[in-house]
Amino acid sequence: MQRITVAKGDGIGPEIMDATLSIIKAAGARIEIDEIEIGEKVYLAGNTSGIARESWDIIRRNKVFLKAPITTPQGGGYKSLNVTTRKFLGLYANIRPCVSLHPFVKTKHPQMDIVIVRENEEDLYAGIEHQQTDEVVQCLKLISRPGCEKIIRYAFEYAVRYGRRKVTCFTKDNIMKQTDGLFHQVFDEIAQEYPSIENEHWIIDIGAAKMADTPEAFDVIVMPNLYGDVLSDVAAQIAGSVGLAGSANIGEACAMFEAIHGSAPRRAGQNMANPSGLLQGAIQMLTHIGQADVAEKVQNAWLKTIEDGIHTYDIYKEGVSTQKVGTKEFAEAVINNLGQKPAQLKAVHYGNGSTLNLPKYVRKPAKKKELQGVDVFVHWNGEDAAQLAALVEQLNTPAAQLSMITNRGIKVYPDGFPETFCTDHWRCRFKPAEGEQLTKQDIIRLLQAADEKHIDVIKTENLYAFDGKPAFSLGQGQ
Ligand code: NAD
């Protein structure tokens, strides 16, 4: 018996949750439920996080959370509960299966059956943003080795567990050689550990185009957070089933399962909503807690119901559907089909109920780290990079000499092009002269001198080599 936390949410949430729970209980789910209140009522009662402290305690105790969609009230100050939950509970993996149900649900891709595995915690979603000059703001893209190892291993373990043949990685490492480069490198390393699973890497732009055009070429696709956010919606949409898709958010200790759609307030309380998205989330939950037998029974009964043409309004289609039903009637039809398999759609087989084998991250021995230079970012309102160079070259010492200036990454000094458009945000790269060493003390002196000369330094980035390999990007055009 597994204790789970359930939140019925807002809008259509309570109806689709009741339908989902009635189906999985009828199928023999071995669960006990603690219900918590989250969402609109909690927000409007003055709690800007949308969830009470005691509810966190219950979620953390039970470790498994089935969540219906919630309504985030309009207007400022309310924090997204989804983002908070993911971050607080360390739910690093977002798993979204996207399968077409042709010919019962309309799709351009009848053969599609892919699973998007999205890194869920880092990348640009760390939310570290700053305005640095009048004209320029930045958002830090953070990619970590543990973040990459955990998500990529998850993708391969998932492939092994569910009999999938291939894992594809999408990145843009031709441009982001450090961040996406690390993701790709870790993918190549971990792929070696799974010789029975095919692996490949695509540059995200052409990969995404291929996925939208020929999704049957892919199986499991793993990617960093932002790409995964965008492409998991594209994949669900082209499968024809945004309203039918569920997703799992998995962490080392806890996991949350949900539908991908929202609370559809206009449909609330009318026994109209399709409970399938949340049911798909619940099926992922059942496999996660080792009840694959129940998950398989529910999924096959659900496929049979779709195939029987028993459809809620959102997927009802004259000529394909046989009956237009409400939320409750749909749930009853699935319950009546428990124990049966679809005839035309592919029945699922989830095997012996084992959970995924995910070792804890082990930190690698530290590399030799060597300071090789410093990028000093300057807010300057001029236009001619040579003028700025003359200004900052006054700061030169043997340990730190101006070697280059870039503007938005493009080299503008020395040998810049007059055509290059420049903002007020300049990066001045300092490196030690031949035979000299740069220290942190030298950087402090450099900043002190810059301040005395009224040069407006907005930030610095140290340039390091790890085990002798420079680990920073060159200027574009350098
Ligand atoms: P939505 O997903 O609620 O609705 C989009 C459209 O799809 C609507 O036409 C709706 O009627 C239809 N729809 C959605 N789910 C359906 C279902 N199960 N059955 C039948 N039809 C369905 O998106 P929205 O209208 O942009 O957002 C409404 C609210 O939901 C907002 O407050 C938003 O913040 C919230 N939201 C919550 C989550 C979540 O909790 N995970 C996710 C997305 C949006």
Side-chain angles (χ1 to χ4, degrees):
M1 198 58 76
Q2 168 88 42
R3 271 199 105 75
I4 65 166
T5 309
V6 161
K8 292 192 173 175
D10 301 314
I12 58 171
E15 296 160 77
I16 60 173
M17 183 60 86
D18 287 342
T20 297
L21 292 176
S22 71
I23 296 168
I24 64 172
K25 280 182 186 161
R30 300 175 288 281
I31 52 170
E32 280 170 18
I33 289 169
D34 286 320
E35 197 181 323
I36 58 164
E37 179 97 61
I38 57 166
E40 202 171 20
K41 271 198 229 128
V42 183
Y43 281 118
L44 296 178
N47 184 331
T48 52
S49 67
I51 180 168
R53 177 76 226 180
E54 308 79 66
S55 301
W56 279 122
D57 296 341
I58 297 171
I59 292 173
R60 288 172 57 219
R61 193 179 63 223
N62 292 340
K63 305 197 177 350
V64 179
F65 181 21
L66 182 62
K67 180 185 148 299
I70 59 161
T71 304
T72 310
Q74 296 291 314
Y78 301 109
K79 297 203 181 71
S80 158
L81 188 56
N82 281 338
V83 177
T84 317
T85 309
R86 266 183 226 148
K87 293 210 164 169
F88 267 2
L89 300 181
L91 307 182
Y92 65 87
N94 180 260
I95 315 300
R96 192 181 289 183
C98 299
V99 53
S100 60
L101 301 165
H102 175 80
F104 306 101
V105 177
K106 196 166 165 260
T107 171
K108 294 190 183 100
H109 302 291
Q111 304 298 326
M112 176 171 180
D113 180 7
I114 66 181
V115 179
I116 306 280
V117 178
R118 163 189 171 194
E119 198 291 319
N120 221 8
E121 286 186 296
E122 46 188 48
D123 192 357
L124 289 157
Y125 290 61
I128 307 176
E129 294 194 298
H130 304 93
Q131 177 162 5
Q132 299 188 319
T133 65
D134 291 309
E135 292 175 344
V136 174
V137 286
Q138 76 164 13
C139 175
L140 278 188
K141 171 159 166 143
L142 294 175
I143 300 277
S144 73
R145 176 168 272 275
C148 297
E149 282 193 15
K150 276 159 55 178
I151 193 67
I152 291 164
R153 201 173 284 289
Y154 194 98
F156 279 98
E157 284 294 327
Y158 184 99
V160 171
R161 170 68 183 79
Y162 295 101
R164 299 221 163 224
R165 73 193 150 80
K166 180 166 81 173
V167 179
T168 305
C169 173
F170 282 179
T171 72
K172 187 81 183 170
D173 68 335
N174 54 333
I175 303 295
M176 283 160 279
K177 296 190 170 74
Q178 296 293 329
T179 48
D180 283 23
L182 177 62
F183 198 92
H184 185 174
Q185 182 195 331
V186 172
F187 177 80
D188 287 345
E189 286 169 18
I190 290 181
Q192 298 304 311
E193 297 176 31
Y194 298 87
S196 64
I197 306 281
E198 214 183 303
N199 70 81
E200 61 180 11
H201 172 270
W202 288 67
I203 296 293
I204 177 84
D205 39 29
I206 189 64
K210 176 83 175 170
M211 187 195 82
D213 183 63
T214 323
E216 57 275 18
F218 297 107
D219 195 339
V220 175
I221 313 181
V222 63
M223 53 194 127
N225 204 344
L226 174 63
Y227 312 141
D229 191 2
V230 177
L231 288 193
S232 57
D233 271 14
V234 172
Q237 176 74 25
I238 64 172
S241 59
V242 185
L244 306 186
S247 96
N249 294 275
I250 312 278
E252 278 174 5
C254 300
M256 172 175 84
F257 302 87
E258 60 185 345
I260 71 170
H261 61 71
S263 56
R266 282 186 305 126
R267 307 288 178 198
Q270 300 160 55
N271 189 37
M272 282 180 84
N274 188 343
S276 297
L278 188 58
L279 184 65
Q280 289 304 310
I283 289 167
Q284 287 180 282
M285 174 186 80
L286 290 168
T287 59
H288 179 78
I289 61 177
Q291 299 188 19
D293 53 334
V294 187
E296 185 175 310
K297 199 166 159 191
V298 174
Q299 180 69 336
N300 285 330
W302 176 76
L303 289 168
K304 171 89 168 56
T305 309
I306 298 287
E307 193 179 273
D308 287 346
I310 302 174
H311 294 166
T312 42
Y313 83 94
D314 54 313
I315 56 168
Y316 183 87
K317 200 161 169 271
E318 212 70 53
V320 178
S321 309
T322 54
Q323 260 188 75
K324 190 190 274 184
V325 293
T327 315
K328 284 193 190 124
E329 296 71 29
F330 182 81
E332 280 159 19
V334 178
I335 291 170
N336 285 336
N337 280 335
L338 286 169
Q340 300 197 52
K341 287 186 176 165
Q344 207 176 324
L345 292 170
K346 202 169 109 214
V348 297
H349 179 59
Y350 294 142
N352 61 11
S354 67
T355 49
L356 299 194
N357 165 34
L358 295 161
K360 275 228 175 289
Y361 170 75
V362 183
R363 182 169 284 168
K364 291 203 169 17
K367 291 181 176 163
K368 185 169 169 284
K369 184 173 159 192
E370 181 198 346
L371 187 61
Q372 291 199 332
V374 62
D375 280 346
V376 177
F377 288 77
V378 172
H379 182 177
W380 185 64
N381 287 330
E383 279 167 20
D384 181 358
Q387 264 180 27
L388 178 62
L391 200 61
V392 296
E393 266 164 356
Q394 297 177 78
L395 310 175
N396 278 358
T397 61
Q401 305 205 318
L402 182 70
S403 68
M404 161 183 91
I405 299 177
T406 68
N407 197 293
R408 291 185 298 172
I410 304 146
K411 190 184 69 154
V412 290
Y413 175 88
D415 308 323
F417 286 179
E419 289 84 359
T420 306
F421 182 84
C422 290
T423 67
D424 59 0
H425 185 271
W426 308 79
R427 171 179 62 167
C428 305
R429 176 162 289 182
F430 286 86
K431 299 192 113 183
E434 197 66 31
E436 295 287 334
Q437 266 290 331
L438 177 72
T439 65
K440 293 257 176 78
Q441 282 300 325
D442 293 316
I443 297 175
I444 293 167
R445 278 192 285 271
L446 182 75
L447 295 180
Q448 186 93 45
D451 192 50
E452 280 156 16
K453 298 210 165 354
H454 305 292
I455 296 170
D456 184 4
V457 174
I458 50 179
K459 71 159 185 173
T460 61
E461 291 284 351
N462 294 348
L463 308 179
Y464 288 112
F466 284 84
D467 280 352
K469 199 170 147 222
F472 47 88
S473 54
L474 298 177
Q476 284 159 1
Q478 193 183 13

